Amino acid sequence: MSHVGLEESIASTSSMPHWHKVLVELTQICATTCWEYAEIWQPRTVPGDSHVLELNPAWALKPSMELSRAHAWQQFRLCSKAFVISVAEGLPGRVWINRTPEWITDTSAYSETYFLRNQIAKAFGVGAGLGVPLIIDNQVTAVFVFFSSAAMPKEPNLLQQTVTLVQNLLPVFKQSLRSEGVAEDGQA
């Protein structure tokens, strides 16, 4: 069992305790599916009222995996933190703009213009990926992205299971957003 990834992901949310429940749920999704790594992309408004997507501090690893694999996912996460993605760009951006899940069979098989993190995916052994939008009040609020080490053809049952599990996160995610808003306003 790899506790290293879980400890680091918990530490990444320690300054934002309202994301801890989301982390627990992400870990559960990884535990009950073949996804090994999960992350969340959220919008940030930039000058000119446009939006970019940034990584949320909550992320998760499958609870039981080899330590070397857990370290590879940690390195992938560390490199991914540097990315700020325009809406419609990369997997999270396309899912954001299209408002629909997207499956990538093998991230290393696509160019950097299609899968922006192509080079780090190759370096750290990232295979299949799935992006799932979380829609609240008819607005995409976040994009949940899941990865596996193995390339996988699109599996409709896994896709539907993952979409359902993400939708089940809606109440927990809404609470985290409310708590974050209170914390940002200095009221918590």
Side-chain angles (χ1 to χ4, degrees):
M1 177 143 177
S2 168
H3 295 288
V4 175
L6 182 59
E7 290 168 1
E8 185 176 313
S9 58
I10 289 170
S12 72
T13 61
S14 64
S15 65
M16 304 173 96
H18 42 277
W19 290 109
H20 183 75
K21 287 182 183 179
V22 174
L23 164 70
V24 170
E25 295 297 325
L26 280 179
T27 302
Q28 186 61 30
I29 292 172
C30 290
T32 58
T33 65
C34 65
W35 302 118
E36 298 172 25
Y37 170 86
E39 63 188 17
I40 305 168
W41 291 83
Q42 285 186 270
R44 176 175 57 90
T45 303
V46 293
D49 286 332
S50 60
H51 288 90
V52 294
L53 300 176
E54 295 181 318
L55 275 175
N56 177 291
W59 63 287
L61 296 176
K62 183 177 272 308
S64 57
M65 72 171 64
E66 292 180 18
L67 190 57
S68 62
R69 193 67 222 135
H71 283 294
W73 286 118
Q74 289 171 322
Q75 292 302 312
F76 179 75
R77 168 73 183 186
L78 184 63
C79 293
S80 295
K81 283 182 175 181
F83 282 78
V84 175
I85 298 176
S86 297
V87 173
E89 187 178 45
L91 177 61
R94 285 190 306 276
V95 170
W96 181 274
I97 202 78
N98 295 327
R99 302 169 55 94
T100 187
E102 181 180 328
W103 187 288
I104 296 181
T105 302
D106 184 358
T107 60
S108 67
Y110 293 93
S111 70
E112 284 186 35
T113 56
Y114 187 79
F115 185 72
L116 297 176
R117 297 180 284 169
N118 169 281
Q119 295 302 311
I120 61 172
K122 285 180 183 177
F124 299 113
V126 178
L130 172 64
V132 179
L134 182 68
I135 299 173
I136 300 174
D137 298 330
N138 206 32
Q139 298 286 326
V140 178
T141 306
V143 175
F144 287 71
V145 181
F146 301 90
F147 291 107
S148 156
S149 297
M152 288 188 292
K154 187 174 183 179
E155 296 182 15
N157 290 339
L158 177 59
L159 180 119
Q160 187 55 53
Q161 177 189 17
T162 307
V163 167
T164 299
L165 291 168
V166 168
Q167 290 171 342
N168 290 344
L169 273 171
L170 192 61
V172 172
F173 199 81
K174 278 181 160 181
Q175 179 59 42
S176 295
L177 288 173
R178 280 194 298 273
S179 296
E180 181 178 57
V182 168
E184 286 177 358
D185 291 340
Q187 298 173 13

